[in-house]
Amino acid sequence: MVSCRRAIMTIGNELRPLAAVAVGLPLAVALAEEGHDVVCVDVDARKVEALRAGRSYVDDVDSARLAAVSDRLEATTRYADLARVEAILIAVPTPLTENREPDLTPLVESARSLAGVLQAGQLVVLESTTYPGTTRERLVPLLEESGLAAGSDFHVAFSPERVDPGRTDHTLRTTPKVVGGLTEACLERAVALYELVCDEVVAVSSRGRRALEAAREHLPLGQHRACQRARHAV
Ligand SMILES: NC(=O)c1ccc[n+]([C@@H]2O[C@H](COP(=O)([O-])OP(=O)(O)OC[C@H]3O[C@@H](n4cnc5c(N)ncnc54)[C@H](O)[C@@H]3O)[C@@H](O)[C@H]2O)c1
């Protein structure tokens, strides 16, 4: 029986890195602290330079924690470096437009860049805050410009980033992580990934009312809506 952790990360005997595209640094550092190699991709070269110099640019990660995983956390502006990773977590910005709609331009640009290097067998998870249907209707078609089929050649899931910067009562590890998958196999793989760094992972699938009920108990209204979004967002 191959343990869950290894089952996610290994193809043959190779332990493959994870990747964080513009993801909150806390998630990338948490995965590295769990012993995984993490590639952080950001188009902002200043942030890449800061990470390479061991300087954290977010309050939730002090530079000492960053230094402690410097041998496992690689920062780059090159999407090409994603071709060798196992899973890719995307949290590019989705600023609100005047019409209070999320501007998906950074997501579209990121997805197009990723489609150019996407490999069969990879898992892609969208973490950016966005409206229901974004993953299935916008991200998947862009990733399939790679020629690969979502759900069969590669896996896709959605898991809204929910870390509230500065809060100590709800951290990355203690905030229930809500995950929706394009397929059951996509969901299972994404859940196994987040179980590496989150105490509770709420798998929300089309049959996931139970999970939604479970999640509701832990969540203030705002966050309950996150579940609803996750349920409908894939
Ligand atoms: N930060 C939070 O506290 C928080 C909490 C909950 C949800 N979210 C959501 O997470 C997402 C990211 O938020 P944020 O505050 O981290 O955003 P941010 O504005 O800090 O942007 C994150 C990074 O994305 C990079 N980026 C932009 N376009 C890119 C591209 N095409 N490829 C690679 N990198 C790119 C930027 O250079 C930046 O460093 C948003 O959808 C936000 O709503 C954030």
PDB file of all heavy atoms in Angstrom, residues 49-66:
ATOM      1  N   GLU A  49      12.996  37.808  -6.502  1.00  0.00           N
ATOM      2  CA  GLU A  49      14.303  38.201  -5.923  1.00  0.00           C
ATOM      3  C   GLU A  49      14.228  38.182  -4.394  1.00  0.00           C
ATOM      4  O   GLU A  49      15.108  37.671  -3.718  1.00  0.00           O
ATOM      5  CB  GLU A  49      14.685  39.611  -6.390  1.00  0.00           C
ATOM      6  CG  GLU A  49      15.391  39.675  -7.741  1.00  0.00           C
ATOM      7  CD  GLU A  49      16.314  38.459  -7.954  1.00  0.00           C
ATOM      8  OE1 GLU A  49      17.258  38.263  -7.148  1.00  0.00           O
ATOM      9  OE2 GLU A  49      16.003  37.667  -8.873  1.00  0.00           O
ATOM     10  N   ALA A  50      13.142  38.723  -3.867  1.00  0.00           N
ATOM     11  CA  ALA A  50      12.985  38.772  -2.406  1.00  0.00           C
ATOM     12  C   ALA A  50      13.009  37.356  -1.833  1.00  0.00           C
ATOM     13  O   ALA A  50      13.729  37.078  -0.871  1.00  0.00           O
ATOM     14  CB  ALA A  50      11.672  39.464  -2.057  1.00  0.00           C
ATOM     15  N   LEU A  51      12.271  36.434  -2.463  1.00  0.00           N
ATOM     16  CA  LEU A  51      12.236  35.055  -1.953  1.00  0.00           C
ATOM     17  C   LEU A  51      13.609  34.418  -2.045  1.00  0.00           C
ATOM     18  O   LEU A  51      14.068  33.756  -1.124  1.00  0.00           O
ATOM     19  CB  LEU A  51      11.203  34.236  -2.724  1.00  0.00           C
ATOM     20  CG  LEU A  51       9.727  34.600  -2.512  1.00  0.00           C
ATOM     21  CD1 LEU A  51       8.839  33.679  -3.339  1.00  0.00           C
ATOM     22  CD2 LEU A  51       9.362  34.511  -1.036  1.00  0.00           C
ATOM     23  N   ARG A  52      14.302  34.650  -3.164  1.00  0.00           N
ATOM     24  CA  ARG A  52      15.627  34.065  -3.331  1.00  0.00           C
ATOM     25  C   ARG A  52      16.601  34.604  -2.284  1.00  0.00           C
ATOM     26  O   ARG A  52      17.524  33.924  -1.863  1.00  0.00           O
ATOM     27  CB  ARG A  52      16.153  34.360  -4.734  1.00  0.00           C
ATOM     28  CG  ARG A  52      15.474  33.526  -5.828  1.00  0.00           C
ATOM     29  CD  ARG A  52      16.039  33.838  -7.184  1.00  0.00           C
ATOM     30  NE  ARG A  52      15.409  33.011  -8.218  1.00  0.00           N
ATOM     31  CZ  ARG A  52      15.506  33.284  -9.522  1.00  0.00           C
ATOM     32  NH1 ARG A  52      16.187  34.370  -9.918  1.00  0.00           N
ATOM     33  NH2 ARG A  52      14.907  32.512 -10.423  1.00  0.00           N
ATOM     34  N   ALA A  53      16.349  35.852  -1.872  1.00  0.00           N
ATOM     35  CA  ALA A  53      17.223  36.461  -0.851  1.00  0.00           C
ATOM     36  C   ALA A  53      16.746  36.117   0.562  1.00  0.00           C
ATOM     37  O   ALA A  53      17.287  36.620   1.550  1.00  0.00           O
ATOM     38  CB  ALA A  53      17.252  37.974  -1.052  1.00  0.00           C
ATOM     39  N   GLY A  54      15.694  35.277   0.629  1.00  0.00           N
ATOM     40  CA  GLY A  54      15.197  34.871   1.949  1.00  0.00           C
ATOM     41  C   GLY A  54      14.372  35.945   2.630  1.00  0.00           C
ATOM     42  O   GLY A  54      14.171  35.919   3.851  1.00  0.00           O
ATOM     43  N   ARG A  55      13.875  36.902   1.843  1.00  0.00           N
ATOM     44  CA  ARG A  55      13.045  37.979   2.420  1.00  0.00           C
ATOM     45  C   ARG A  55      11.582  37.679   2.167  1.00  0.00           C
ATOM     46  O   ARG A  55      11.160  37.507   1.009  1.00  0.00           O
ATOM     47  CB  ARG A  55      13.382  39.325   1.778  1.00  0.00           C
ATOM     48  CG  ARG A  55      14.709  39.941   2.177  1.00  0.00           C
ATOM     49  CD  ARG A  55      14.758  41.445   1.807  1.00  0.00           C
ATOM     50  NE  ARG A  55      14.311  41.692   0.445  1.00  0.00           N
ATOM     51  CZ  ARG A  55      15.112  41.566  -0.634  1.00  0.00           C
ATOM     52  NH1 ARG A  55      16.358  41.178  -0.498  1.00  0.00           N
ATOM     53  NH2 ARG A  55      14.639  41.809  -1.851  1.00  0.00           N
ATOM     54  N   SER A  56      10.803  37.586   3.240  1.00  0.00           N
ATOM     55  CA  SER A  56       9.366  37.347   3.065  1.00  0.00           C
ATOM     56  C   SER A  56       8.642  38.662   2.844  1.00  0.00           C
ATOM     57  O   SER A  56       8.963  39.671   3.466  1.00  0.00           O
ATOM     58  CB  SER A  56       8.769  36.682   4.308  1.00  0.00           C
ATOM     59  OG  SER A  56       7.338  36.664   4.175  1.00  0.00           O
ATOM     60  N   TYR A  57       7.639  38.660   1.945  1.00  0.00           N
ATOM     61  CA  TYR A  57       6.890  39.905   1.691  1.00  0.00           C
ATOM     62  C   TYR A  57       5.470  39.803   2.231  1.00  0.00           C
ATOM     63  O   TYR A  57       4.621  40.631   1.920  1.00  0.00           O
ATOM     64  CB  TYR A  57       6.868  40.227   0.196  1.00  0.00           C
ATOM     65  CG  TYR A  57       6.509  39.087  -0.706  1.00  0.00           C
ATOM     66  CD1 TYR A  57       5.194  38.689  -0.884  1.00  0.00           C
ATOM     67  CD2 TYR A  57       7.503  38.362  -1.347  1.00  0.00           C
ATOM     68  CE1 TYR A  57       4.861  37.629  -1.684  1.00  0.00           C
ATOM     69  CE2 TYR A  57       7.193  37.282  -2.161  1.00  0.00           C
ATOM     70  CZ  TYR A  57       5.873  36.927  -2.326  1.00  0.00           C
ATOM     71  OH  TYR A  57       5.545  35.870  -3.124  1.00  0.00           O
ATOM     72  N   VAL A  58       5.209  38.767   3.036  1.00  0.00           N
ATOM     73  CA  VAL A  58       3.879  38.697   3.655  1.00  0.00           C
ATOM     74  C   VAL A  58       4.041  38.562   5.174  1.00  0.00           C
ATOM     75  O   VAL A  58       4.980  37.913   5.653  1.00  0.00           O
ATOM     76  CB  VAL A  58       3.018  37.529   3.113  1.00  0.00           C
ATOM     77  CG1 VAL A  58       2.728  37.707   1.644  1.00  0.00           C
ATOM     78  CG2 VAL A  58       3.651  36.189   3.395  1.00  0.00           C
ATOM     79  N   ASP A  59       3.079  39.169   5.913  1.00  0.00           N
ATOM     80  CA  ASP A  59       3.184  39.176   7.380  1.00  0.00           C
ATOM     81  C   ASP A  59       3.116  37.776   7.958  1.00  0.00           C
ATOM     82  O   ASP A  59       3.794  37.437   8.920  1.00  0.00           O
ATOM     83  CB  ASP A  59       2.049  40.026   7.988  1.00  0.00           C
ATOM     84  CG  ASP A  59       2.104  41.457   7.448  1.00  0.00           C
ATOM     85  OD1 ASP A  59       3.199  41.815   6.959  1.00  0.00           O
ATOM     86  OD2 ASP A  59       1.076  42.148   7.464  1.00  0.00           O
ATOM     87  N   ASP A  60       2.313  36.905   7.320  1.00  0.00           N
ATOM     88  CA  ASP A  60       2.068  35.575   7.906  1.00  0.00           C
ATOM     89  C   ASP A  60       3.275  34.650   7.854  1.00  0.00           C
ATOM     90  O   ASP A  60       3.266  33.571   8.420  1.00  0.00           O
ATOM     91  CB  ASP A  60       0.916  34.891   7.167  1.00  0.00           C
ATOM     92  CG  ASP A  60      -0.418  35.551   7.524  1.00  0.00           C
ATOM     93  OD1 ASP A  60      -0.382  36.589   8.181  1.00  0.00           O
ATOM     94  OD2 ASP A  60      -1.464  35.015   7.141  1.00  0.00           O
ATOM     95  N   VAL A  61       4.317  35.048   7.110  1.00  0.00           N
ATOM     96  CA  VAL A  61       5.518  34.195   7.023  1.00  0.00           C
ATOM     97  C   VAL A  61       6.718  35.057   7.385  1.00  0.00           C
ATOM     98  O   VAL A  61       7.061  35.969   6.634  1.00  0.00           O
ATOM     99  CB  VAL A  61       5.704  33.640   5.592  1.00  0.00           C
ATOM    100  CG1 VAL A  61       7.025  32.887   5.472  1.00  0.00           C
ATOM    101  CG2 VAL A  61       4.548  32.723   5.214  1.00  0.00           C
ATOM    102  N   ASP A  62       7.337  34.800   8.553  1.00  0.00           N
ATOM    103  CA  ASP A  62       8.515  35.623   8.846  1.00  0.00           C
ATOM    104  C   ASP A  62       9.727  35.022   8.121  1.00  0.00           C
ATOM    105  O   ASP A  62       9.717  33.855   7.699  1.00  0.00           O
ATOM    106  CB  ASP A  62       8.762  35.736  10.367  1.00  0.00           C
ATOM    107  CG  ASP A  62       9.016  34.379  11.012  1.00  0.00           C
ATOM    108  OD1 ASP A  62       9.708  33.548  10.366  1.00  0.00           O
ATOM    109  OD2 ASP A  62       8.493  34.134  12.110  1.00  0.00           O
ATOM    110  N   SER A  63      10.728  35.833   7.976  1.00  0.00           N
ATOM    111  CA  SER A  63      11.885  35.424   7.168  1.00  0.00           C
ATOM    112  C   SER A  63      12.605  34.234   7.771  1.00  0.00           C
ATOM    113  O   SER A  63      13.227  33.439   7.044  1.00  0.00           O
ATOM    114  CB  SER A  63      12.809  36.626   6.974  1.00  0.00           C
ATOM    115  OG  SER A  63      12.129  37.589   6.174  1.00  0.00           O
ATOM    116  N   ALA A  64      12.476  34.035   9.064  1.00  0.00           N
ATOM    117  CA  ALA A  64      13.129  32.868   9.688  1.00  0.00           C
ATOM    118  C   ALA A  64      12.493  31.577   9.168  1.00  0.00           C
ATOM    119  O   ALA A  64      13.204  30.624   8.807  1.00  0.00           O
ATOM    120  CB  ALA A  64      12.996  32.953  11.211  1.00  0.00           C
ATOM    121  N   ARG A  65      11.155  31.591   9.059  1.00  0.00           N
ATOM    122  CA  ARG A  65      10.472  30.393   8.532  1.00  0.00           C
ATOM    123  C   ARG A  65      10.884  30.165   7.082  1.00  0.00           C
ATOM    124  O   ARG A  65      11.108  29.043   6.652  1.00  0.00           O
ATOM    125  CB  ARG A  65       8.951  30.584   8.581  1.00  0.00           C
ATOM    126  CG  ARG A  65       8.267  30.076   9.817  1.00  0.00           C
ATOM    127  CD  ARG A  65       6.763  30.215   9.707  1.00  0.00           C
ATOM    128  NE  ARG A  65       6.151  29.147   8.932  1.00  0.00           N
ATOM    129  CZ  ARG A  65       4.913  29.227   8.424  1.00  0.00           C
ATOM    130  NH1 ARG A  65       4.190  30.333   8.567  1.00  0.00           N
ATOM    131  NH2 ARG A  65       4.406  28.199   7.748  1.00  0.00           N
ATOM    132  N   LEU A  66      11.005  31.271   6.346  1.00  0.00           N
ATOM    133  CA  LEU A  66      11.391  31.165   4.932  1.00  0.00           C
ATOM    134  C   LEU A  66      12.801  30.591   4.817  1.00  0.00           C
ATOM    135  O   LEU A  66      13.057  29.677   4.031  1.00  0.00           O
ATOM    136  CB  LEU A  66      11.336  32.557   4.310  1.00  0.00           C
ATOM    137  CG  LEU A  66      11.339  32.685   2.797  1.00  0.00           C
ATOM    138  CD1 LEU A  66      10.210  31.887   2.174  1.00  0.00           C
ATOM    139  CD2 LEU A  66      11.270  34.156   2.391  1.00  0.00           C
TER     140      LEU A  66
END
